[in-house]
Amino acid sequence: MDTAESQKDSFIQRLQEWDAQAVAEVIEFRGETTVVVPREHLRRAAEFLVNDRALQFTFLSDITAVDKFPEPRFELNYHLLSLEYRKRIRLKVRIPGDDPQVQSVTPIWPAANWHEREAFDLMGIRFEGHPDLTRILMPDDWEGYPLRKDYPVEGYR
């Protein structure tokens, strides 16, 4: 096992040792690591990843939302970078369609502000505790969420 491989394993092991319930699944695909986190543990896991001195995932590069219609309806992917350790990780949170909400990570990574607003605006995912959860791309009077798979191609009439 090379140094990069053992370092990756130590990041995952550290997170699991901190709280095994915060790690639902670990997915390795094409050299990328994805940690599936239950939505009720997202905020705590994010705080741990930022504040733990052995991890320091201080840079949030992106949040993407995916509609996996029918269920679990939505996935949020948080792309993180540890500048200190030159390590990337992806947090994945699965969200049911009947309750599309999750805690905001804006207090942890201020860059999440506009990413969360975009996911709200286009997918309808609500972020609890967001400082200004308003539309960012669509007009204020727009009905619905245009990136959902069940959104009509020609819009609502």
Side-chain angles (χ1 to χ4, degrees), residues 114-127:
W114 284 26
H115 295 293
E116 290 179 350
R117 287 179 63 194
E118 179 183 31
F120 164 71
D121 193 10
L122 300 176
M123 298 289 254
I125 300 170
R126 302 196 68 76
F127 295 87

Side-chain angles (χ1 to χ4, degrees), residues 25 27 34-37 39 42 62-79 90-97 99-102 115 119-120 123-125 127 147-149:
E25 182 181 3
I27 302 166
T34 301
V35 178
V36 180
V37 177
R39 73 174 169 168
L42 172 64
D62 195 17
I63 299 174
T64 59
V66 180
D67 186 350
K68 304 282 278 188
F69 187 79
E71 288 294 331
R73 178 73 191 258
F74 302 105
E75 284 183 355
L76 287 173
N77 294 290
Y78 297 79
H79 303 268
R90 177 185 303 112
L91 294 184
K92 180 180 287 197
V93 179
R94 296 182 174 123
I95 304 170
D99 185 24
Q101 62 181 338
V102 69
H115 295 293
F120 164 71
M123 298 289 254
I125 300 170
F127 295 87
L147 289 187
R148 286 188 175 187
K149 287 187 176 180

